[in-house]
Amino acid sequence: MESPTTPISFEFYPPQTPEGVEKLTAARQRLAAMKPEFFSVTFGAGGSTQDRTLETIRQIHAEGHNATPHLSCVGSTRDNVRALLFAYKDMGIKRIVALRGDLPSGMASIGEFQYANELVSFIRAQTGEHFHIEVAAYPEFHPQANSAREDMLNFKRKVNAGANSAITQYFYNTDGYFRFVDECRKLGVTAPVVPGIMPIMRFSQLARFSDACGAEIPRWMRKTMEGYGDDVESVQSFGLDVVTQLCEKLIAGGVPGLHFYTLNQANASLEILKRLGYR
């Protein structure tokens, strides 16, 4: 069987400890064998991980991989975003993920950028076409959106501001993803929309993430995993089956890529890719 040709990419968060750095380096080395298009690194709420994001990007780039930093509106000023942009440009970074970000508890103001389209416009004004800009997409709609229509128009604004492509929030319903792409095309938005893939490792963790970000866990999945109780092995086995089938449907539907939210771990993503036929 030939290896699939659908591009893949992996997302990390910047580790907080020397042990975390070592674990991420080991995981990254294993994932690099799959020849991903890029590794992205998140940017903490309110810019709280700015230095660690920069250092992790520096390490990935030094290893010879395509490194993609996240930038967030929350807590950011034009001056500090400008400084980061030129630091990344001087480093040779070619791709950026531009996000609005979530307002941390206790923070009164989002910062000098209110919405992601403003951040995208600023990046273009400062650096022209140097960066390939990714933005976020929400097939099940942003949890703070007043309506589906408003969310679609907001996505269109980000693309019109200069975004090249998008990565979605994770989901487990392929119909929602394909419907979202169809709606984008009806609005004249032709930018590629890459599905975000969340491997399932622990149900409690997944439920917490999903409640926070508005990603739906279908009832049949939720009830199945609840039934396993503390049997982590059964949850993980079930999760591998479900997410592999999800990816199979997405690949068959012609998606432009698969972006894995790794949580700084390699095993689950590698097993799914192996089952999909990646070599």
Side-chain angles (χ1 to χ4, degrees):
M1 182 171 64
E2 290 188 9
S3 181
T5 57
T6 303
I8 57 173
S9 53
F10 300 107
E11 182 171 300
F12 306 129
Y13 59 84
Q16 299 184 27
T17 65
E19 293 78 15
V21 172
E22 287 183 14
K23 288 180 179 178
L24 177 55
T25 300
R28 188 165 63 241
Q29 288 172 347
R30 296 177 63 204
L31 292 167
M34 290 297 182
K35 296 181 170 53
E37 192 171 19
F38 62 89
F39 291 119
S40 74
V41 182
T42 62
F43 189 83
S48 57
T49 68
Q50 177 177 308
D51 292 340
R52 286 187 279 120
T53 298
L54 180 63
E55 182 55 33
T56 306
I57 287 292
R58 200 188 311 277
Q59 291 167 1
I60 293 171
H61 183 68
E63 292 168 0
H65 308 305
N66 290 327
T68 300
H70 289 211
L71 283 177
S72 167
C73 294
V74 175
S76 293
T77 65
R78 285 170 172 76
D79 287 344
N80 83 281
V81 169
R82 186 183 296 108
L84 281 171
L85 287 173
F86 284 102
Y88 288 134
K89 187 177 180 181
D90 290 346
M91 201 186 297
I93 300 303
K94 296 286 190 179
R95 185 186 297 254
I96 278 178
V97 180
L99 307 166
R100 193 200 74 166
D102 297 320
L103 194 65
S105 176
M107 181 177 279
S109 172
I110 194 168
E112 291 185 16
F113 300 99
Q114 190 77 14
Y115 300 108
N117 65 290
E118 297 172 6
L119 179 59
V120 172
S121 295
F122 184 78
I123 295 170
R124 284 284 175 244
Q126 297 298 312
T127 60
E129 296 300 317
H130 176 81
F131 292 109
H132 178 111
I133 302 177
E134 304 269 8
V135 291
Y138 298 86
E140 296 169 333
F141 305 115
H142 194 282
Q144 296 174 357
N146 291 325
S147 69
R149 176 71 176 172
E150 179 189 271
D151 204 42
M152 293 299 305
L153 293 176
N154 182 48
F155 178 64
K156 183 177 182 178
R157 280 191 288 271
K158 291 190 285 189
V159 175
N160 289 348
N164 300 99
S165 56
I167 299 169
T168 76
Q169 177 61 269
Y170 68 87
F171 57 88
Y172 298 104
N173 181 347
T174 55
D175 289 343
Y177 167 81
F178 288 117
R179 182 215 50 78
F180 178 84
V181 174
D182 286 345
E183 291 298 315
C184 286
R185 302 305 177 245
K186 289 176 185 177
L187 285 174
V189 178
T190 59
V193 179
V194 175
I197 307 298
M198 177 68 87
I200 299 171
M201 288 171 268
R202 294 198 307 275
F203 172 62
S204 59
Q205 179 187 55
L206 180 67
R208 187 172 69 252
F209 288 167
S210 299
D211 290 344
C213 71
E216 181 184 358
I217 304 175
R219 181 177 171 82
W220 70 272
M221 284 180 58
R222 186 180 285 270
K223 287 297 183 183
T224 300
M225 288 186 284
E226 286 174 349
Y228 290 131
D230 295 330
D231 185 353
V232 175
E233 188 173 323
S234 291
V235 170
Q236 291 177 350
S237 177
F238 171 77
L240 288 171
D241 291 341
V242 166
V243 178
T244 300
Q245 291 166 8
L246 175 80
C247 292
E248 287 172 343
K249 291 178 182 178
L250 292 168
I251 291 172
V255 296
L258 297 172
H259 183 73
F260 286 82
Y261 297 111
T262 69
L263 304 181
N264 289 13
Q265 299 181 50
N267 287 349
S269 297
L270 287 173
E271 178 60 27
I272 291 164
L273 290 167
K274 176 184 173 184
R275 293 182 180 199
L276 292 171
Y278 284 83
R279 298 286 177 263

